[in-house]
Amino acid sequence: MRNSYKNIENRREHILDVLNEDQSMSIEDLSKHLHVSEMTVRRDCNSLAQMGRLTQKRGIVSFISPENASHSDSRFRIKQSLGLEAAKKIKDNEIVFINSSSTSIYAVKALLNKNVTIVTNNGNVVKMLSDHNVANVVLTGGNVNNRDIMSGDIANHTFLSMRSDWSIIGCAGLSIDQGISTPWIEEANVNRNIIKNSRRVIVVADYSKFGSFSNFTVGKISDIDVLITDTFVSGKTLDAFRKAGVEVIQVTQI
């Protein structure tokens, strides 16, 4: 009988717990420790490596802390895949709001080649601009922090002065009960206004965002039209979003 997703998830968490203690271990030793086959351990470690939770080299697997995992190449590839998928939803002549998240910004590169209007409070978009851009890019202005993110009255007024066809929102936490959340109070109200003045909302969220809650709620699950995530989120979790009327798209990392 095939293992349930929960059993697989628990086994992979066990692998991470073991590696957190020992930092590195061979596939063979992990197999003995967990009392499962080397093939099973290797399959689990391959998935965890794709998630950016560990590294593998010549049969040795090494732990990556959650803090470092968020900056791993694997996590960046996942975020890039989600952003590119979101960009596919935006058609020529449409207006799209894009918030300050490190995932939603990956949609910008693809959108710059489309005849669309991008409105964003993410100053990092400036680094992507070139003489060959087709899109019209509008920066909101406002108070700029050390991450080049704009907030405050001016940023809010910009989003409230127009309506978009779409918004692409990244977040720090996402759950059925708590909704969409962010850790930054200055950006929370900006995100609320983005959602408020968007006809349709896309949320881009990798596996690490699910079931968690950050400091400030910016929207409800009912605000989401499309959820774009990776293949590491359980079907049971995503079914709850589908039952809430959300279109769910899962993409593999590039």
Side-chain angles (χ1 to χ4, degrees):
M1 183 177 180
R2 295 182 65 184
N3 286 331
S4 69
Y5 186 90
K6 189 63 179 177
N7 288 339
I8 295 172
E9 191 176 55
N10 288 340
R11 189 175 63 241
R12 291 175 182 176
E13 285 300 321
H14 190 183
I15 288 173
L16 293 174
D17 287 342
V18 171
L19 292 176
N20 190 25
E21 291 290 329
D22 293 353
Q23 295 303 303
S24 296
M25 189 177 286
S26 69
I27 294 289
E28 181 181 1
D29 287 342
L30 268 175
S31 170
K32 292 175 181 177
H33 187 91
L34 272 65
H35 306 291
V36 295
S37 70
E38 288 188 27
M39 182 179 294
T40 296
V41 172
R42 187 171 287 107
R43 185 168 56 244
D44 287 340
C45 288
N46 285 340
S47 292
L48 289 168
Q50 290 173 358
M51 296 166 72
R53 300 300 309 277
L54 54 77
T55 60
Q56 298 184 92
K57 188 175 182 181
R58 297 178 182 176
I60 302 297
V61 291
S62 302
F63 181 73
I64 300 178
S65 68
E67 295 78 17
N68 290 330
S70 65
H71 301 292
S72 68
D73 288 341
S74 295
R75 188 70 65 82
F76 283 130
R77 286 195 295 272
I78 291 172
K79 291 180 177 183
Q80 187 176 16
S81 299
L82 304 187
L84 292 175
E85 186 68 25
K88 294 177 183 178
K89 288 283 187 181
I90 315 305
K91 307 302 181 186
D92 282 348
N93 302 310
E94 291 187 323
I95 297 174
V96 55
F97 292 165
I98 296 180
N99 81 335
S100 58
S101 87
S102 60
T103 303
S104 62
I105 196 172
Y106 283 109
V108 173
K109 188 172 183 179
L111 289 172
L112 287 174
N113 298 317
K114 292 186 175 184
N115 183 25
V116 299
T117 296
I118 300 167
V119 185
T120 182
N121 64 323
N122 194 334
N124 294 287
V125 167
V126 172
K127 303 169 187 176
M128 299 178 162
L129 300 179
S130 74
D131 293 335
H132 305 293
N133 298 147
V134 178
N136 179 40
V137 178
V138 178
L139 295 179
T140 62
N143 303 327
V144 184
N145 66 15
N146 59 4
R147 295 181 294 116
D148 290 330
I149 305 304
M150 304 169 194
S151 60
D153 290 343
I154 295 175
N156 282 305
H157 177 74
T158 301
F159 285 119
L160 289 173
S161 68
M162 65 185 84
R163 285 188 62 80
S164 70
D165 299 286
W166 293 92
S167 63
I168 300 176
I169 297 283
C171 61
L174 184 64
S175 71
I176 290 292
D177 295 331
Q178 301 291 341
I180 312 162
S181 57
T182 180
W184 295 289
I185 189 170
E186 311 86 25
E187 296 166 46
N189 202 41
V190 175
N191 288 334
R192 292 186 194 109
N193 288 325
I194 289 174
I195 293 171
K196 177 181 179 180
N197 268 26
S198 298
R199 292 186 176 90
R200 289 163 290 185
V201 175
I202 299 171
V203 169
V204 285
D206 67 57
Y207 69 89
S208 68
K209 307 303 186 346
F210 286 81
S212 62
F213 175 68
S214 197
N215 306 73
F216 306 98
T217 298
V218 300
K220 306 182 294 295
I221 298 305
S222 59
D223 292 321
I224 305 172
D225 294 285
V226 182
L227 170 61
I228 300 178
T229 188
D230 51 62
T231 57
F232 301 116
V233 186
S234 74
K236 183 178 180 181
T237 296
L238 295 180
D239 281 345
F241 285 86
R242 292 188 180 99
K243 289 177 181 177
V246 178
E247 177 188 352
V248 177
I249 300 173
Q250 286 184 279
V251 295
T252 55
Q253 68 182 58
I254 59 176

